């Protein structure tokens, strides 16, 4: 029997290894090991990580899916 490892979807508890913000990018290095990055640091480090042939899974689309909460828009007039 062959099993395939799949990375779980990133959640709000997954934090950027660089700054601690919510992670949206999971990087698996060719030599082993995993890194998590926020959208900002993911964009910053992706070019170099691609050069290293790292496996990069980005979930930036989650940022587009987020709707503002009433608390986030309180006090803003249209």
């Amino acid at each position: 029997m062959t099993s395939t490892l799949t990375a779980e979807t990133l959640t709000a508890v997954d934090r950027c290894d660089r700054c601690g913000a919510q992670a949206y990018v999971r990087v698996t290095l060719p030599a082993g090991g995993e890194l998590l990055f926020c959208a900002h640091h993911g964009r910053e480090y992706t070019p170099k990580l691609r050069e290293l042939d790292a496996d990069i899974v980005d979930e930036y689309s989650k940022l587009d899916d987020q709707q503002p909460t009433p608390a986030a828009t309180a006090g803003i007039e249209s």
Side-chain angles (χ1 to χ4, degrees):
M1 176 167 71
T2 305
S3 65
T4 303
L5 296 176
T6 57
E8 293 182 28
T9 302
L10 294 169
T11 67
V13 296
D14 294 306
R15 310 314 285 178
C16 176
D17 289 326
R18 184 73 174 112
C19 69
Q22 183 173 347
Y24 290 97
V25 180
R26 180 186 309 271
V27 178
T28 304
L29 301 170
E34 181 179 86
L35 298 168
L36 300 177
F37 293 114
C38 63
H40 166 81
H41 287 111
R43 283 189 292 270
E44 181 178 347
Y45 297 124
T46 291
K48 182 62 176 175
L49 292 165
R50 283 195 178 125
E51 288 177 21
L52 299 173
D53 201 29
D55 181 38
I56 302 168
V57 177
D58 74 65
E59 297 182 12
Y60 295 139
S61 63
K62 286 183 177 180
L63 291 171
D64 295 333
D65 295 340
Q66 293 180 1
Q67 299 296 321
T69 62
T73 58
I76 299 174
E77 295 183 31
S78 337

